[in-house]
Amino acid sequence: LFAGPEVPWAQVALHAELVRTLAWSIRNVSIRKDRDFVVLTEASIPDDIRLELLGDGLKLAYFDADSLLMSVPSGYEWKLSWFKGRSLKPTLGQLAVWNLTSYDNVVMLDDDMLMVAPCDELFSVPVFAMSHDPAPWGSHRDSLGARTRLNNAARVVQPNAGLFDHMVLKLQKGEFKDHSLVQFWGYDLQSLEDAFWTDRSYRAGNVHFGPDGQFIGCSTHRPGLQQFDNINLSAVRPSLPKREGGIIKVGKSDAIHCVLPADYNFFVDFKSVYGLVFRQVSKQDIEQRDVRRLMRKAVDLLVASGSLRHQAKVLHWPGPLRKPWQRVHPRSRSGWDTLWW
């Protein structure tokens, strides 16, 4: 929750309400109701908003935005539009989740999300895992082959102050400004994190859970890559840990990170849904105008690509001007928007 002095009170108050909505949805569906809900914010948060959050039983953890300012290389300033459009300092504040060292495992979600089914199983994941861009075009290819693009809306973190300092140092030094992922997607925190983890450890595929909801490993196939060569991770990285039946057995000490399937980051904004449903449709499909069939085809594509494993558990409205709270009149809302309201 960005709450620096440069952010208007109304903007902080709006996003505080979004946090409360997300927290309500999590408590409403979670199996365990007693887990802490922590809001990462700045110490300058207005007192009335602070009291409102605390009154809802939420805990606050503070980060110093000034010490986490992004060091932007000369000529890259124009790529900070995400921050400028929201009247925010270009900061690495989201990375402060790694400093929550009083917790063994943290599941972090953006405030433009809504949980609609239990996700307690995520707390059993012992390694870093981040959601990915489920769009069929959301994979980048370079000399190392195709990679699933990370999306930092949802992640599982094992807080580590040393790793936090190391990550911030590398990003502030601008070490990844010429990285292929950053050059391809842009100089923003999401792409910088993607580059950092690409260079730091092996990227496996989706997290997997057993019948008891406990983590059993990560798949050898990264989601979303079947559109290219159905790349098998073992063919690219021959020194991976033991794998059984397409599942990599992962422990806390393994130099590996995993991907969260679209179940935990299901894009429901108009642009994403429209692009997915009408991507590569044939002339015959258009002439038949059977939208429900096209929607089913889109879901089948997500499943076939490995992006969606079971069902949407966490909904996400990415991008500006596509948020459900901007759809005040009921007639302007999609079914997903109505669910948020």
Side-chain angles (χ1 to χ4, degrees), residues 134-205:
W137 52 87
S139 294
H140 168 56
R141 171 171 252 181
D142 61 14
S143 60
L144 293 177
R147 303 195 181 96
T148 302
R149 183 192 185 193
L150 296 184
N151 180 280
N152 62 8
R155 66 185 83 188
V156 180
V157 171
Q158 299 74 38
N160 182 319
L163 178 58
F164 168 73
D165 292 337
H166 176 67
M167 192 184 314
V168 170
L169 179 62
K170 279 185 167 290
L171 297 189
Q172 288 186 329
K173 287 173 64 177
E175 289 192 14
F176 300 104
K177 68 181 180 68
D178 296 321
H179 195 283
S180 61
L181 287 169
V182 175
Q183 289 291 316
F184 190 85
W185 294 111
Y187 199 88
D188 54 56
L189 181 55
Q190 180 168 277
S191 299
L192 290 170
E193 286 188 84
D194 200 342
F196 174 86
W197 286 103
T198 295
D199 285 6
R200 178 176 174 81
S201 63
Y202 298 134
R203 178 167 303 168

Side-chain angles (χ1 to χ4, degrees), residues 157-263:
V157 171
Q158 299 74 38
N160 182 319
L163 178 58
F164 168 73
D165 292 337
H166 176 67
M167 192 184 314
V168 170
L169 179 62
K170 279 185 167 290
L171 297 189
Q172 288 186 329
K173 287 173 64 177
E175 289 192 14
F176 300 104
K177 68 181 180 68
D178 296 321
H179 195 283
S180 61
L181 287 169
V182 175
Q183 289 291 316
F184 190 85
W185 294 111
Y187 199 88
D188 54 56
L189 181 55
Q190 180 168 277
S191 299
L192 290 170
E193 286 188 84
D194 200 342
F196 174 86
W197 286 103
T198 295
D199 285 6
R200 178 176 174 81
S201 63
Y202 298 134
R203 178 167 303 168
N206 286 328
V207 295
H208 281 251
F209 305 96
D212 60 352
Q214 293 298 300
F215 176 80
I216 59 174
C218 298
S219 63
T220 55
H221 287 277
R222 304 186 191 112
L225 300 184
Q226 283 81 349
Q227 57 178 314
F228 292 118
D229 300 320
N230 196 25
I231 293 177
N232 189 313
L233 197 60
S234 60
V236 181
R237 303 286 195 181
S239 57
L240 285 173
K242 180 181 179 182
R243 57 185 70 83
E244 297 177 4
I247 301 295
I248 304 170
K249 299 296 184 179
V250 180
K252 287 187 178 181
S253 62
D254 292 319
I256 191 171
H257 64 278
C258 302
V259 177
L260 298 179
D263 306 41

Side-chain angles (χ1 to χ4, degrees), residues 49-316:
I49 298 176
R50 184 200 319 270
L51 293 174
E52 187 177 66
L53 293 172
L54 293 174
D56 262 8
L58 311 184
K59 297 179 181 293
L60 303 185
Y62 303 106
F63 65 88
D64 179 15
D66 290 332
S67 66
L68 295 175
L69 285 179
M70 292 176 65
S71 181
V72 185
S74 178
Y76 286 76
E77 296 84 359
W78 64 276
K79 295 188 177 184
L80 296 177
S81 58
W82 188 93
F83 294 97
K84 291 179 179 178
R86 293 163 174 80
S87 303
L88 302 174
K89 294 179 180 178
T91 177
L92 305 172
Q94 287 173 297
L95 300 184
V97 64
W98 289 96
N99 253 351
L100 299 178
T101 52
S102 60
Y103 299 97
D104 296 323
N105 243 20
V106 176
V107 176
M108 185 176 183
L109 300 175
D110 279 358
D111 66 6
D112 56 354
M113 305 182 89
L114 191 76
M115 188 175 290
V116 295
C119 298
D120 299 71
E121 64 275 9
L122 291 178
F123 287 96
S124 67
V125 179
V127 294
F128 173 68
M130 185 181 280
S131 55
H132 72 286
D133 187 338
W137 52 87
S139 294
H140 168 56
R141 171 171 252 181
D142 61 14
S143 60
L144 293 177
R147 303 195 181 96
T148 302
R149 183 192 185 193
L150 296 184
N151 180 280
N152 62 8
R155 66 185 83 188
V156 180
V157 171
Q158 299 74 38
N160 182 319
L163 178 58
F164 168 73
D165 292 337
H166 176 67
M167 192 184 314
V168 170
L169 179 62
K170 279 185 167 290
L171 297 189
Q172 288 186 329
K173 287 173 64 177
E175 289 192 14
F176 300 104
K177 68 181 180 68
D178 296 321
H179 195 283
S180 61
L181 287 169
V182 175
Q183 289 291 316
F184 190 85
W185 294 111
Y187 199 88
D188 54 56
L189 181 55
Q190 180 168 277
S191 299
L192 290 170
E193 286 188 84
D194 200 342
F196 174 86
W197 286 103
T198 295
D199 285 6
R200 178 176 174 81
S201 63
Y202 298 134
R203 178 167 303 168
N206 286 328
V207 295
H208 281 251
F209 305 96
D212 60 352
Q214 293 298 300
F215 176 80
I216 59 174
C218 298
S219 63
T220 55
H221 287 277
R222 304 186 191 112
L225 300 184
Q226 283 81 349
Q227 57 178 314
F228 292 118
D229 300 320
N230 196 25
I231 293 177
N232 189 313
L233 197 60
S234 60
V236 181
R237 303 286 195 181
S239 57
L240 285 173
K242 180 181 179 182
R243 57 185 70 83
E244 297 177 4
I247 301 295
I248 304 170
K249 299 296 184 179
V250 180
K252 287 187 178 181
S253 62
D254 292 319
I256 191 171
H257 64 278
C258 302
V259 177
L260 298 179
D263 306 41
Y264 306 102
N265 184 30
F266 194 80
F267 286 11
V268 295
D269 64 295
F270 174 78
K271 179 182 178 182
S272 298
V273 172
Y274 183 88
L276 180 64
V277 171
F278 289 96
R279 177 178 166 79
Q280 297 179 339
V281 297
S282 66
K283 181 180 179 181
Q284 181 181 6
D285 288 331
I286 295 295
E287 289 175 346
Q288 290 180 351
R289 298 181 182 179
D290 187 347
V291 178
R292 288 189 178 275
R293 190 170 64 85
L294 292 179
M295 293 173 68
R296 170 54 58 187
K297 181 180 177 181
V299 173
D300 290 343
L301 174 62
L302 284 179
V303 173
S305 70
S307 285
L308 184 67
R309 297 206 62 242
H310 299 293
Q311 66 180 75
K313 292 189 168 189
V314 181
L315 310 181
H316 184 199

